[in-house]
Amino acid sequence: MTVVDDAVQQCRDLLDLLPAEALARAQERHPRVAGFAVFPVYAPVEIIHAAGLMPLGLFGVGNKLEITNADSRFQSFICSIAKSTLELFLRNEMKGFTGAVFSSICDVARNLASVAGRNAPGMYLEYLHLPQSSPTEACREFTRSEFRRFRDNLGARTGRPITDDAVARSLGLYNRVRALTRQLYQERRHRPGVLSAAELFTVAQACTRLMPEDAIPLLEDLAASLPMRKPVSRDCVRVVIEGSFCEQPPIELIEAIEAAGCHVVDDDLVVGWRLFRHDVPAGPDPVAALADAYVADSCYTSVRFNAAQPRTTGLLRRAKDAGADAVVFAAAKFCEPALLDYVLFRKALDEQGVPHLKIEFEEKMWTFDRLRTEVETFTESMLFE
Amino acid sequence: MAYIAGVDLGSGGTKTVIIDDQRRILGTGNARSQADFDAVARKSLAEACAAAGIAREQVEYVAATGLGRYSLDDRDIQITELTCAARGAHAFFPEARFVLDMGAQCTRALSLREGGKVKAFRTNEKCAAGSGGFLERVARYLEVPLADLGRVSMQADDPQPISSVCAVLAESEIINHVSEGKTIPNIVRGAHNSLAERSLAQLKLVGVDGPVAFIGGVALQQGMVEACKEKFRQPVLVAQHPLHVVAYGAALLGLTRWQKRAAPAMA
């Protein structure tokens, strides 16, 4: 087994765990560290880490937990991630966590935060009002105040005020994690067969379940080992995957897309944890620097609006920069932000003559044959027309 | 000279065709499919290379198709058997706008657009009753070698009806016919007629109204071809090697891709 195979397998093993189990795994290296769950899309994990807590991505539970209680709180047309997240709280499966942070990404997430809060007495449930609109001075000030509020509340909760120095240190670590992730994405874009999209997705998602101190050596080893890896040479269509910015698809779905003849050259998977385009300089006020980066240096997602730079432009640029032939729009079932955006994306892609395919997924999905055939038909229509 | 391979990893057999860049067939291979698809495909590919008089390393591009297409590690591309069947059948019979591909476990009816592209299709993948697997059972019940089934069927003078749509239940009907003293050729022809009727139902769903290219292993059976001619009331066209048509289609599509990839280098 190569270094890359070994690292990817470790990440797969980590993703097979429930959040509390992943936390317990981290505690073997970081005794007594408490967890703090981060519901997608984005939260300033640096502040959580600076508080001496472990930020841990809350991306649902896949097939690891049967949904039995959450169905009684949510309607059938609610996305999987909301239900499985609530199920964790209802079943007391968040042992070891001090709290969790949600943000204003959609109506479901907004209600999830309060419903989870009512069912998790003793936990600190934070709700961040992240600005939806375009970057303005007022927007910047508002974001700074929200991040400071979060910092102060978290410090009060843990009984240890969070210092700027601590945030700056954490920012340095997460800058490194994001830079290494960007490097892997670049490598895959230029040599698509060298690291599959499923492998990179596995690694990126697993990094949300690692302390940055542990993610960095893992990513560094991967980056150093990739040049030695022989790429799998296949005749494929280069595609961008769009629409999976919140709930994450099963890894098997990404594997099916690749098996059907696609080289995934860019995507928005786990995008909240790699949101910034560049390293964020800590400066004298690292919390303000983080807020400013969120406002001005984050990549587009369907949960933000910027009139000057529409998301459709962002997608077209992403596809062009990656040298993509097509876009696969993979949205979670009942994900309103994604599905509403699809209308705009489809129009923009059609106007530019970029082929596209829409598929939907949910956490409990376990059979991918039909989907693979669908993608295969799509790729063949491009390869042989 | 470039050599392209099309490998059809079917449930019954794994067929390979090697062509050159002039689309000429240089060699074929055939191996019985087993659990290790990759190993079987390599064996079939090696056989085709030997028949073509070339080394495996000389094959520039490998296009895999069939249900086991993802299992061939050494492939450049995988293509659905529908696309390959359409392209292969069109290459042999450009006048045919309909294709019936009958393999061991699956029967597909296709209608084609210009250039041998798939327009519509119907498939029976979930049940062996309408495919070659059914005939294998019939051959086993009647203790007739599978290879002789088509010839035996041609001796029929009073074909017996087999109405069941289930291969397992059809066995009871066959036993009844045997116990009633019906001859083996008449029972076999009954099975062929039954399959032809089911195929016609699929073809009707894709709007059959012209010549049908009949491909796949079952098209090797003369009695089956005759049954189809009677039931379809359309010309039924059978290639010299119907078993390899899908693999040939894969090779042609592979050649298309190879030429596109090689074009910048040649320019």
Side-chain angles (χ1 to χ4, degrees):
Chain A
M1 193 178 259
T2 66
V3 173
V4 178
D5 294 335
D6 190 41
V8 172
Q9 188 55 50
Q10 281 180 43
C11 292
R12 270 191 185 272
D13 294 344
L14 195 55
L15 294 179
D16 278 340
L17 304 175
L18 289 171
E21 295 168 338
L23 175 63
R25 176 79 61 89
Q27 285 168 336
E28 292 170 9
R29 291 177 55 86
H30 306 273
R32 291 185 299 282
V33 70
F36 201 88
V38 177
F39 191 81
V41 176
Y42 171 79
V45 289
E46 291 86 348
I47 294 174
I48 299 167
H49 183 260
L53 301 169
M54 177 183 175
L56 199 142
L58 202 52
F59 288 104
V61 297
N63 280 314
K64 296 182 281 294
L65 200 67
E66 196 64 37
I67 307 296
T68 53
N69 300 298
D71 279 337
S72 65
R73 266 74 165 186
F74 282 140
Q75 303 90 329
S76 57
F77 50 81
I78 298 298
C79 56
S80 318
I81 188 173
K83 288 184 183 174
S84 61
T85 299
L86 182 61
E87 188 73 23
L88 287 169
F89 284 93
L90 293 173
R91 288 214 208 174
N92 197 22
E93 286 283 358
M94 296 296 284
K95 290 190 199 82
F97 283 80
T98 298
V101 56
F102 298 81
S103 58
S104 46
I105 51 168
C106 65
D107 289 345
V108 173
R110 183 183 304 143
N111 291 316
L112 174 62
S114 54
V115 176
R118 278 201 298 277
N119 288 283
M123 281 188 86
Y124 164 41
L125 271 289
E126 180 59 86
Y127 186 82
L128 280 180
H129 296 268
L130 296 176
Q132 306 287 302
S133 193
S134 56
T136 61
E137 197 49 41
C139 173
R140 186 187 303 266
E141 274 309 311
F142 177 79
T143 312
R144 286 181 176 189
S145 71
E146 268 301 276
F147 281 20
R148 285 177 184 135
R149 183 182 63 78
F150 181 42
R151 176 197 61 190
D152 295 344
N153 285 350
L154 199 53
R157 181 75 185 194
T158 59
R160 293 184 303 275
I162 300 168
T163 66
D164 283 347
D165 281 349
V167 177
R169 267 197 307 279
S170 299
L171 183 51
L173 290 169
Y174 277 104
N175 271 340
R176 182 70 181 142
V177 171
R178 286 187 290 259
L180 286 163
T181 310
R182 282 197 297 269
Q183 188 182 332
L184 293 178
Y185 266 77
Q186 278 293 107
E187 187 75 18
R188 183 189 62 174
R189 180 182 295 184
H190 295 305
R191 298 170 69 212
V194 79
L195 185 68
S196 76
E199 289 174 324
L200 185 48
F201 174 40
T202 302
V203 171
Q205 199 174 353
C207 283
T208 74
R209 293 179 155 216
L210 289 170
M211 289 289 266
E213 296 90 334
D214 300 330
I216 289 169
L218 178 107
L219 292 168
E220 283 176 340
D221 282 353
L222 261 178
S225 306
L226 276 191
M228 276 88 81
R229 202 180 201 205
K230 192 178 166 214
V232 177
S233 174
R234 293 265 154 76
D235 194 2
C236 289
V237 171
R238 289 169 69 94
V239 304
V240 162
I241 293 180
E242 175 74 31
S244 310
F245 48 84
C246 178
E247 182 175 327
Q248 299 300 295
I251 290 169
E252 294 84 352
L253 179 137
I254 306 296
E255 288 172 339
I257 290 174
E258 292 186 300
C262 294
H263 275 322
V264 182
V265 286
D266 204 355
D267 59 62
D268 63 351
L269 299 162
V270 204
V271 72
W273 287 68
R274 49 188 188 90
L275 198 68
F276 304 133
R277 295 194 187 95
H278 309 93
D279 285 353
V280 182
D285 185 347
V287 174
L290 267 174
D292 293 354
Y294 179 78
V295 170
D297 191 40
S298 50
C299 55
Y300 76 92
T301 73
S302 289
V303 293
R304 294 190 62 196
F305 174 74
N306 184 344
Q309 292 176 319
R311 295 188 290 277
T312 49
T313 310
L315 173 59
L316 290 172
R317 192 185 305 122
R318 178 178 276 171
K320 187 179 175 199
D321 290 350
D325 306 308
V327 171
V328 174
F329 190 82
K333 276 197 167 78
F334 308 118
C335 176
E336 283 192 355
L339 295 170
L340 288 171
D341 261 7
Y342 174 62
V343 179
L344 304 175
F345 286 145
R346 189 175 63 180
K347 183 167 182 284
L349 293 167
D350 284 342
E351 283 170 359
Q352 295 299 314
V354 179
H356 54 89
L357 173 74
K358 173 175 162 275
I359 54 178
E360 291 188 24
F361 63 84
E362 57 187 341
E363 277 185 9
K364 301 287 183 208
M365 197 169 174
W366 59 274
T367 169
F368 300 91
D369 290 353
R370 189 191 57 78
L371 181 136
R372 191 172 61 183
T373 306
E374 214 174 313
V375 179
E376 206 166 22
T377 308
F378 175 65
T379 58
E380 285 177 10
S381 73
M382 294 172 63
L383 292 170
F384 301 120
E385 280 297 312
Chain B
M1 177 80 70
Y3 303 107
I4 310 294
V7 186
D8 175 11
L9 294 90
S11 56
T14 295
K15 293 78 70 178
T16 300
V17 170
I18 305 274
I19 63 169
D20 64 14
D21 48 16
Q22 302 301 309
R23 302 158 60 102
R24 290 178 297 221
I25 295 175
L26 304 179
T28 62
N30 190 8
R32 184 151 188 86
S33 291
Q34 291 168 351
D36 186 349
F37 264 124
D38 186 48
V40 174
R42 285 171 191 276
K43 187 178 164 194
S44 172
L45 185 54
E47 189 183 319
C49 285
I54 61 170
R56 166 66 186 89
E57 295 70 35
Q58 289 175 269
V59 177
E60 299 270 2
Y61 195 99
V62 177
T65 186
L67 74 93
R69 61 190 177 277
Y70 302 106
S71 306
L72 178 54
D73 289 337
D74 208 8
R75 70 189 189 275
D76 288 284
I77 197 169
Q78 65 291 315
I79 313 170
T80 55
E81 48 272 52
L82 289 164
T83 302
C84 295
R87 201 57 63 98
H90 178 75
F92 284 106
F93 305 108
E95 71 277 26
R97 286 284 177 270
F98 302 92
V99 179
L100 178 67
D101 176 14
M102 195 174 284
Q105 290 295 324
C106 181
T107 297
R108 305 173 192 91
L110 300 88
S111 62
L112 308 185
R113 289 190 284 127
E114 294 299 320
K117 292 166 187 166
V118 179
K119 182 179 175 188
F121 68 90
R122 284 291 185 277
T123 175
N124 78 324
E125 284 185 67
K126 297 292 177 196
C127 176
S131 62
F134 173 61
L135 293 177
E136 284 183 19
R137 294 176 78 105
V138 170
R140 215 165 34 239
Y141 305 149
L142 299 176
E143 297 179 335
V144 176
L146 186 61
D148 293 343
L149 214 57
R151 186 182 50 76
V152 169
S153 173
M154 294 298 287
Q155 297 163 8
D157 53 11
D158 180 22
Q160 295 302 302
I162 295 176
S163 56
S164 176
V165 293
C166 172
V168 178
L169 297 179
E171 183 180 354
S172 306
E173 290 189 54
I174 290 170
I175 291 169
N176 285 344
H177 289 316
V178 171
S179 62
E180 286 168 7
K182 305 299 181 191
T183 65
I184 287 178
N186 285 332
I187 299 172
V188 172
R189 185 55 174 268
H192 281 150
N193 285 344
S194 170
L195 261 187
E197 276 171 20
R198 284 174 217 172
S199 305
L200 179 60
Q202 282 182 270
L203 281 164
K204 280 181 176 171
L205 290 171
V206 298
V208 64
D209 65 355
V212 177
F214 185 18
I215 65 173
V218 179
L220 288 166
Q221 298 187 14
Q222 179 74 38
M224 184 67 207
V225 175
E226 290 306 315
C228 287
K229 284 178 180 171
E230 281 175 23
K231 301 287 177 189
F232 298 173
R233 296 184 180 176
Q234 299 286 353
V236 175
L237 312 168
V238 183
Q240 192 181 354
H241 302 290
L243 193 61
H244 287 88
V245 173
V246 175
Y248 181 56
L252 290 176
L253 291 162
L255 175 62
T256 309
R257 290 302 301 166
W258 178 81
Q259 285 169 332
K260 276 191 183 167
R261 288 211 309 197
M266 291 191 287

